[in-house]
Amino acid sequence: PFFCCAETLESASFLLFYSDSDKEKVDLLEWICVFYMKSRRMKHEGVLHTALSCDDILCNILIRLPPKSITKFVIVSKRWLHLICSSSFRHSYLSRWRVGFNLLGFFVCNSLYLGRPKGGARRPRSEPALPLLSSSREGDDLKFSGVLKKLGYFIDSSDGLLLCGRHPKTYFVWNPITKQQYKLPHPRVHFEELCMAFIVEDSPDDEICYRVVRAKCESRFEEVYVVTIETFLSKISTWCYSKLRCSSTISLSPWTSGTVIGGVIHWYAAQGNIAIYDPYHHEKHIALVKLPGPFDFDEQVLGESSDGCLQYGWSCKAGLQIWVLEKGFDGYSSLFSTNEQSSLSWSLRYKLNFKIMWRKNPTLATKCVTRKETEILAFSPQDSKSVFIRSGSSIYLYHIGSGRMEVIQYQGRGSSILSDFSKVVPYFKRAWPQSTLCCGGNSST
């Protein structure tokens, strides 16, 4: 008796059928009952159908369902597909629910070629410029599509989009959903050495918006209190020049990519510091925060903790440590509004001994695994208590809480591209329903 027409009955029945718990069904029935009672008070026929035909009301229903349910409803109709895949609904949904990521594979970045000086080592033709160790079917499609041969070298990724190119002039952004590449105009300023950052931004419409930041790396032997940057904004399709002030001498580490957390960029800097820059803050300021403990390790990674803090991990022959930069009352905002050294403190959250790790996972501790080669690769974006580690040519995902390890199967095992000069970077895409029917924007290929 609640339904006014067959279409409304079909839509509501679909939702109820696929709801995975009694609470979901109760929440949904409450909404339907409210609408039905309103329709009786207003004495209009078909009000419930009209209500569910309104995108705002339908969004209020769908946003209550957990991620494991929401992905099933894109097949109801084209309207539902477009609504769920839209950036506006995704933004609202992600502010309420924590959605996971899919691992497509690992890009291998050889630092010998990325910032190659004149007369430096040249990449042999037998070695791909953009090697991908695929760990999924979607990664396989990308690997064998041939598009990677056209993009240059891997620089960074954000929300599934790739930033690739050849320093210092040619850069591409590649969209794995639309299969389109966007060639950025040449930067206006030449930097001999630089580091970069890539941010995919929320947009009120379905157009993909992003910014690319190039930061000049000065010699670490010079006393410099300013960082020169160029920022490309996709909304206006141009590069913008600016200078960031720092209260201390600063020298960014060249040929690295910044870690972006909540739109804030974190770069490695000399003297064991992290440089933090918020491009959305009104102050053109860049802050320095000292890293905890030893900082002269090649195996060090940055990431985001489960409570939204900056997370730092490093490894050596014996094991690894994971630290978190605790936030103040105003988060990290005080970093950009004071000229004094930051008083934020690091806390040690996890400490792991590699010997104990292998002892707990005897089936994986084979003769081909040499413990001295074990190193941290990256944090898992969907669980800050899980880290990717590498031992020789093998890659594992280690779950700190349970002590369990799992092997990551990928194509390219044992290849020479896993050398001492290579950095292995996992490539993730947000596990969110997507469709080419919902993507806008023009490409320039």
Side-chain angles (χ1 to χ4, degrees):
F2 289 172
F3 306 108
C4 303
C5 66
E7 181 181 343
T8 302
L9 174 61
E10 181 179 357
S11 299
S13 299
F14 192 94
L15 281 168
L16 289 170
F17 180 80
Y18 279 103
S19 295
D20 294 317
S21 69
D22 291 339
K23 185 179 183 304
E24 295 170 25
K25 295 178 181 179
V26 169
D27 284 344
L28 181 59
L29 283 171
E30 285 178 352
W31 273 92
I32 295 175
C33 289
V34 168
F35 294 145
Y36 174 67
M37 288 186 290
K38 287 183 177 180
S39 69
R40 292 196 60 179
R41 286 199 303 268
M42 291 184 291
K43 298 181 179 180
H44 287 306
E45 294 184 0
V47 170
L48 181 56
H49 166 62
T50 302
L52 289 183
S53 298
C54 172
D55 286 350
D56 289 340
I57 294 177
L58 183 57
C59 283
N60 280 326
I61 294 177
L62 294 175
I63 205 170
R64 291 168 170 253
L65 301 176
K68 60 183 178 181
S69 298
I70 194 68
T71 56
K72 302 173 184 177
F73 303 141
V74 295
I75 64 173
V76 173
S77 65
K78 288 184 178 179
R79 172 174 165 254
W80 284 41
L81 170 69
H82 191 278
L83 188 149
I84 293 174
C85 293
S86 68
S87 58
S88 57
F89 179 77
R90 175 171 59 89
H91 176 69
S92 300
Y93 192 90
L94 294 179
S95 64
R96 182 183 181 113
W97 299 91
R98 190 176 181 88
V99 176
F101 291 79
N102 292 330
L103 175 67
L104 272 63
F106 299 84
F107 282 106
V108 182
C109 318
N110 197 319
S111 58
L112 288 178
Y113 312 134
L114 182 60
R116 185 180 70 86
K118 291 182 179 180
R122 287 186 174 273
R123 175 179 57 85
R125 291 190 175 184
S126 59
E127 183 177 327
L130 192 53
L132 174 65
L133 310 179
S134 171
S135 61
S136 65
R137 180 176 297 180
E138 193 171 355
D140 293 344
D141 295 340
L142 174 59
K143 180 183 174 113
F144 298 111
S145 66
V147 68
L148 297 180
K149 297 180 180 179
K150 307 174 183 178
L151 299 179
Y153 298 101
F154 174 85
I155 297 175
D156 204 355
S157 67
S158 177
D159 209 17
L161 269 65
L162 288 177
L163 173 64
C164 306
R166 289 179 172 85
H167 292 307
K169 292 184 177 181
T170 306
Y171 300 104
F172 296 95
V173 170
W174 188 76
N175 188 338
I177 303 168
T178 62
K179 313 300 182 186
Q180 295 174 327
Q181 66 185 44
Y182 306 82
K183 185 176 181 180
L184 277 59
H186 287 178
R188 299 176 180 178
V189 184
H190 173 75
F191 297 151
E192 193 68 32
E193 291 187 327
L194 70 152
C195 56
M196 299 190 70
F198 183 38
I199 308 174
V200 173
E201 303 173 317
D202 291 321
S203 174
D205 49 32
D206 291 332
E207 184 179 359
I208 293 179
C209 296
Y210 55 88
R211 65 174 61 205
V212 178
V213 182
R214 302 169 72 243
K216 183 178 181 181
C217 296
E218 303 284 356
S219 170
R220 63 184 62 198
F221 301 107
E222 298 178 3
E223 291 190 1
V224 179
Y225 294 83
V226 174
V227 174
T228 303
I229 67 169
E230 253 196 322
T231 303
F232 176 81
L233 303 172
S234 63
K235 293 180 180 179
I236 58 177
S237 191
T238 189
W239 291 92
C240 302
Y241 175 89
S242 58
K243 291 190 175 183
L244 310 178
R245 294 177 293 101
C246 185
S247 56
S248 306
T249 57
I250 182 171
S251 176
L252 301 178
S253 300
W255 315 121
T256 59
S257 294
T259 298
V260 180
I261 300 175
V264 179
I265 302 171
H266 304 78
W267 281 304
Y268 288 111
Q271 310 273 322
N273 288 304
I274 292 293
I276 304 178
Y277 165 53
D278 184 354
Y280 307 98
H281 198 275
H282 65 278
E283 294 278 350
K284 291 294 183 180
H285 185 79
I286 188 167
L288 288 179
V289 175
K290 201 78 173 179
L291 286 171
F295 52 80
D296 54 348
F297 293 103
D298 291 333
E299 301 85 20
Q300 53 184 357
V301 296
L302 296 175
E304 181 180 6
S305 67
S306 56
D307 49 356
C309 296
L310 174 64
Q311 189 167 246
Y312 168 68
W314 61 264
S315 64
C316 61
K317 181 179 178 180
L320 64 84
Q321 292 185 9
I322 297 176
W323 298 73
V324 171
L325 183 63
E326 302 293 349
K327 291 183 177 180
F329 292 107
D330 58 350
Y332 297 143
S333 297
S334 59
L335 289 171
F336 311 109
S337 56
T338 179
N339 293 323
E340 299 179 1
Q341 185 71 21
S342 170
S343 60
L344 298 179
S345 60
W346 294 87
S347 62
L348 178 64
R349 287 203 175 175
Y350 308 107
K351 188 175 182 179
L352 172 65
N353 184 291
F354 285 142
K355 284 186 178 181
I356 297 176
M357 179 188 73
W358 291 118
R359 195 179 303 150
K360 289 184 177 180
N361 297 271
T363 58
L364 300 180
T366 59
K367 294 181 180 180
C368 64
V369 174
T370 55
R371 294 170 186 159
K372 66 179 182 180
E373 295 179 349
T374 305
E375 62 184 45
I376 187 171
L377 285 184
F379 294 111
S380 171
Q382 50 194 1
D383 181 7
S384 61
K385 296 181 181 180
S386 298
V387 293
F388 291 96
I389 61 174
R390 166 188 165 191
S391 184
S393 61
S394 299
I395 298 176
Y396 306 90
L397 181 62
Y398 180 75
H399 304 279
I400 298 175
S402 62
R404 182 175 59 88
M405 292 179 68
E406 56 182 285
V407 181
I408 305 298
Q409 302 291 346
Y410 65 86
Q411 294 189 12
R413 182 179 300 278
S415 173
S416 60
I417 55 178
L418 288 177
S419 66
D420 293 337
F421 298 102
S422 298
K423 184 176 182 181
V424 183
V425 182
Y427 173 43
F428 301 97
K429 195 173 77 170
R430 195 182 291 276
W432 185 260
Q434 294 168 321
S435 171
T436 55
L437 297 176
C438 309
C439 298
N442 299 321
S443 67
S444 110
T445 60

